[in-house]
Amino acid sequence: MSREAVRLPLPDDDASAALARATVAALPAGALLVLTGPLGAGKTTFVRHLARALGSPAEVTSPTYALVHEYPTPAGTLVHVDAYRLRGAAALRALGLDEQRERARLTVVEWGEALLADEPEAYHLALDRAGDPDVALHGATWRRSPER
Amino acid sequence: MLVLGIDTSCDDTGVGVVRGRQVLANVVASQAALHAPMGGVLPEAASREHLATIDGVVGEALTRAGVELHDLDAIAATRGPGLAGALLVGLGYAKGLAWGAASPFIPIHHLEGHVAACLAEDAGRGPPPEPPFLCLIASGGHTVLFDVPEAGRYLRVGGSRDDAAGEAFDKVARLLALPYPGGPALAALAGDGDPGTLPLPRPMARQHGFDFSFSGLKTAVAVFLERHPDASRADVAATFQERVVTSLVDVATRAARAFGRDTLVVAGGVAANRALREALAAAALHVHLPPPGLATDNGAMIALAAVEQVRLRGVPDQVEALAVDAAPYLPLAEGPSRPRDAQAPRPHDAAR
């Protein structure tokens, strides 16, 4: 698989939903997906699309204060972690991330940059705000394709 | 009834002692200093800190209240929602204390504690609110609107679809390079700014329901600051704060009208925000705010909720109460609610 980054423009909600469906179809059970990007890039919104793609109508809200939210879906549990208030991979591990991952369909970590160094199997999707910010044009880049 | 309440749902260790609705002591050991250098929380450090602190905070609360452990009629603690490890410390400690002192143990929902904070007796304040009323809880972790048709009954009317109001304050504060925790710093900066000048959006301005959304506003601030690096930070703070406050007050006022309630109880840390207090004072509602010190997370509000629970439902079965587990995710309400009276204006009418 290519390790080159490919940037996908996400001009609207439908494009984000389509990317979420493709992501869910491509990622195996137990996968770890790290979402990066600045404040307001659309990370939490993308997790809502992932939940939809897994068949859950859950109102996905920001887990910044709670740190972890879990959503049951027909395809298995979606674990939504937010490391915004955390520092470092050790803090994430202290949440029981490894254990949660094993039984989850998909574990998504916002602000999870710290995990990338020692999680070679992690998938990394970088979201950004680009283009004309007034129309909230967003984009996503697969930073690294896991070698399996 | 003399009750000791413990809250360790997030970063602060809170212990309070109340007699009925009178707060005798309310001690909060904040971990802000511990976490500030790293600009965030280490969950394990938070749990360890609760564990290291709780003994001293309980002792301090009992001393300030002038009571002994064996004087207590009940011991209460938050069971959820919150950080799992942090909740376990307060809950486990309270159970142990209750067991050892042969005192009834009362597990409490954190949000019910926030509502109960408004029941505290406070010199110079009017009588506490009596249901039915509408209740807005706005804090770092929660922004939710409940209808309370009778004491102890909560119907969810609406809530944030993305970020909590306090969380939005903290994140925009970071965009403005203000120190952690950013909410109070942002409010202070906003005091120096003009809220009427910048083109920031009004969240959910055209909705017919009673929800909130602060994520798009946060994005708009980020984009605005990127495009206008020389903009007045005070004006950005003031405009952002005005948008959040207006959204909270407008939706709550509209919901009160739709549900036929003339009283609004506001709880949670954001209730301490001065701009919000001023906007609420101008609203056509009887507004009840928690006394100073009881708005943010604390133990006294948990004790007050326990007193209320015993008043309504009696002392819970001790064996069942001691078996209650920490619940990091725990809804308070019975579920989505509609205006109950068919004669009441429907939500979309109220929006017009």
Side-chain angles (χ1 to χ4, degrees), chain B residues 183-280:
Chain B
L186 188 148
L189 180 64
D192 302 327
D194 178 357
T197 53
L198 306 180
L200 293 177
R202 296 196 171 276
M204 308 285 290
R206 285 186 293 274
Q207 68 163 332
H208 299 315
F210 307 106
D211 282 342
F212 304 97
S213 169
F214 300 113
S215 171
L217 176 60
K218 171 191 71 189
T219 302
V221 171
V223 169
F224 182 85
L225 288 170
E226 276 165 23
R227 290 185 145 193
H228 305 92
D230 299 327
S232 154
R233 311 229 135 197
D235 286 354
V236 173
T239 309
F240 165 79
Q241 179 173 263
E242 189 275 335
R243 297 296 191 266
V244 174
V245 165
T246 302
S247 173
L248 291 173
V249 174
D250 282 1
V251 173
T253 306
R254 219 157 38 71
R257 207 177 305 143
F259 283 78
R261 308 296 184 219
D262 59 5
T263 301
L264 175 68
V265 170
V266 184
V270 180
N273 180 278
R274 210 182 62 184
L276 177 64
R277 286 179 173 246
E278 286 170 4
L280 287 168

Side-chain angles (χ1 to χ4, degrees), chain B residues 75 77-79 88 91-92 94-96 98-99 103-108 316-327 330:
Chain B
I75 291 164
T78 302
R79 65 172 298 221
L88 280 171
L91 195 65
K95 284 180 184 176
W99 182 257
S103 192
F105 173 66
I106 305 177
I108 294 293
D317 179 81
Q318 182 77 336
V319 175
E320 275 177 33
L322 288 172
V324 162
D325 257 335
L330 189 65

Side-chain angles (χ1 to χ4, degrees), chain A residues 11-101:
Chain A
D12 55 29
D13 233 28
D14 288 347
S16 299
L19 177 62
R21 282 196 294 272
T23 303
V24 161
L27 266 46
L32 175 68
L33 174 63
V34 173
L35 289 182
T36 61
L39 278 172
K43 296 181 292 297
T44 299
T45 305
F46 188 71
V47 177
R48 187 172 309 156
H49 286 304
L50 289 172
R52 296 280 181 287
L54 290 166
S56 162
E59 284 246 347
V60 171
T61 57
S62 170
T64 294
Y65 271 76
L67 303 179
V68 187
H69 286 163
E70 284 188 25
Y71 302 97
T73 82
T77 306
L78 171 66
V79 179
H80 184 192
V81 183
D82 190 331
Y84 180 81
R85 300 197 308 140
L86 301 179
R87 190 195 55 167
L92 275 162
R93 293 255 145 63
L95 289 175
L97 189 64
D98 296 335
E99 191 185 302
Q100 262 158 338
R101 233 181 104 180

